[in-house]
Amino acid sequence: MSSADLDESDEQAIISAFRSGVLGLGPNSVEFERLCAERAGTKHAIAVSSGTAALHLIMQALRFGAADEVLVPSFTFAASVNAIIYTGATPVFVDIEPEYYNLDPTELIARRTPNTTGVMVVDIFGHPADWEAIQLAAPDLALIDDCCEAIGATYNGSPLGSLGQAGAFAFYPNKQITTGEGGMIVTDNDELARVCRSLRNQGRGEMGAWLEHERLGYNYRMDEMSAALGASQIKRLDTFMAKREAVAAMYTERLKPRDWVRTQRVDRTSTMSWFVYVVTLAAEVDRDKVIQSMADQGIPARAYFSPIHLQPYIKERFGTKGGMLPVTEDIAARTVALPFHNNLTEEQVERVLSAMESAVAR
C-alpha cells in the first residue's frame, strides 16, 4: 500500500546519530524541531514518539477533562478520537461535507452543547479543512489541528499546524516523511509548548532538579536516531510532495473516463499534501467485493476510513449507532485507498487500475 522514500543521506544521518553516543533528547531532536516549526510557521515544535502522543499531549496541556465535550469527525483515524478519550473528555461526532470529506462547519453549530469546549479538526487525506468557516462557526472553542496526514499542506497560504491552538504531525512510514515512528506538536503558545515538553518527559520541568517532577507525565520522547531521520527527510519534503502529486495525477487522469468512480477533489484555495490516494465508488458498486477481487489479483486496496462512531469500543462506551451521520456513513461505505507512494511508476498505476476495472466489471 505504501513505501517510504529513503536514500543514503537518511542512512548517514542515522549512522551519525548512532555513533555520537547521544541517543535521546539531543541535538538531532532540537534540529528536527526547528525544521518542523519553520515549516509550520510556528514558534515552537516538540518532538514526541507518535502522532497519537502529539494529540494526547495537546489535549492534556489544554486541560480537557470529564466535564468537556469535544466535536470531532467520525471519518478519521481512531487516534483523533482516542486523544479526546484519554483526557476523560467526551467525543461528540460531527458529519462531513460531501465535497472534500472534511468536517462540515455547520455541524459545529448544530451539535454543540453548553459543555462543548473544543473541536478536533482533521485535515483528511492531506486536504485542509475549511478553517475560515470553522473559525467563524466556533470562535469561542479551542481548535486542535489533527494535521497528522497533512504536513506541508496550506490553507489560503497558511501552513497547516499554525491555524489552531496547536497542531500535530505524524511520521509513520506511510506518511509524506517518516521517522519510523514519531510525531510533532507545533504551536505559537508559549505555555502550551512548555507544558508539552514537560509532559513528554515524565512531567519533569525544564529547569527542575534531577528527578524532580512538576506534574504527572508520560514517556513520549523521540529518540535521536528517529529525529536524525526526520531532519534529513523534511529537507526533501517539497520534492516528496511533488512526486506524490505526480502519482495522484496519473491515477486521476486515467480514471477520468470511468463513470463508476469519483476521484479526490482539491479546493483551489488549498495546497494539498497527498497522504493517500482515495477514490469513491458509485453506490451500485460493491466496494468490499472490489477490494477482495483486487486482492485475488495481487493488488492491495483498503476501505478508508471506517467510521469511528461505529467501532465496537465506541458504540459500547458512548451508545453511538448507525444513521447518526448520513454523509459519513455513505462515503465510508464507498471509499477505497489504492496503493500510493512517491515512486509508484506509470506501469504500476496501470496494473492497479487494470485490476480495479476487472474487479468492478465482475
Side-chain angles (χ1 to χ4, degrees), residues 207-276:
M207 303 303 293
W210 174 243
L211 295 185
E212 181 177 277
H213 301 263
E214 295 181 354
R215 55 182 57 81
L216 176 66
Y218 309 88
N219 180 7
Y220 281 173
R221 298 179 297 267
M222 178 182 286
D223 68 88
E224 280 291 279
M225 289 171 287
S226 295
L229 176 57
S232 176
Q233 287 258 302
I234 198 171
K235 293 171 185 174
R236 308 201 303 283
L237 176 57
D238 288 329
T239 298
F240 290 171
M241 287 175 61
K243 291 167 78 171
R244 296 171 88 87
E245 186 171 7
V247 174
M250 283 194 290
Y251 270 129
T252 300
E253 183 63 29
R254 285 157 178 77
L255 284 168
K256 271 183 181 178
R258 282 72 171 181
D259 59 4
W260 44 263
V261 66
R262 199 199 98 169
T263 56
Q264 172 77 50
R265 294 170 184 169
V266 181
D267 186 348
R268 293 182 182 274
T269 65
S270 299
T271 300
M272 182 164 180
S273 180
W274 289 88
F275 163 52
V276 286

Side-chain angles (χ1 to χ4, degrees), residues 1-12:
M1 286 296 295
S2 63
S3 179
D5 194 337
L6 304 171
D7 68 10
E8 288 186 6
S9 67
D10 298 322
E11 182 178 3
Q12 289 305 311

Side-chain angles (χ1 to χ4, degrees), residues 24 31 135 172 176 200 245 267 293 346 362:
E31 175 64 3
Q135 289 163 343
Y172 191 70
Q176 293 87 335
R200 73 168 175 184
E245 186 171 7
D267 186 348
S293 178
E346 189 172 351
R362 292 177 189 179

Side-chain angles (χ1 to χ4, degrees), residues 71-126:
L71 302 169
V72 60
S74 175
F75 192 67
T76 184
F77 184 59
S80 309
V81 178
N82 292 348
I84 298 168
I85 298 172
Y86 294 158
T87 66
T90 300
V92 175
F93 294 101
V94 300
D95 216 345
I96 56 174
E97 42 79 19
E99 190 75 6
Y100 309 109
Y101 303 166
N102 278 306
L103 69 83
D104 182 347
T106 65
E107 288 276 285
L108 303 184
I109 299 171
R111 296 187 185 266
R112 69 179 295 170
T113 74
N115 294 324
T116 304
T117 54
V119 183
M120 180 69 74
V121 182
V122 182
D123 305 296
I124 204 73
F125 305 152

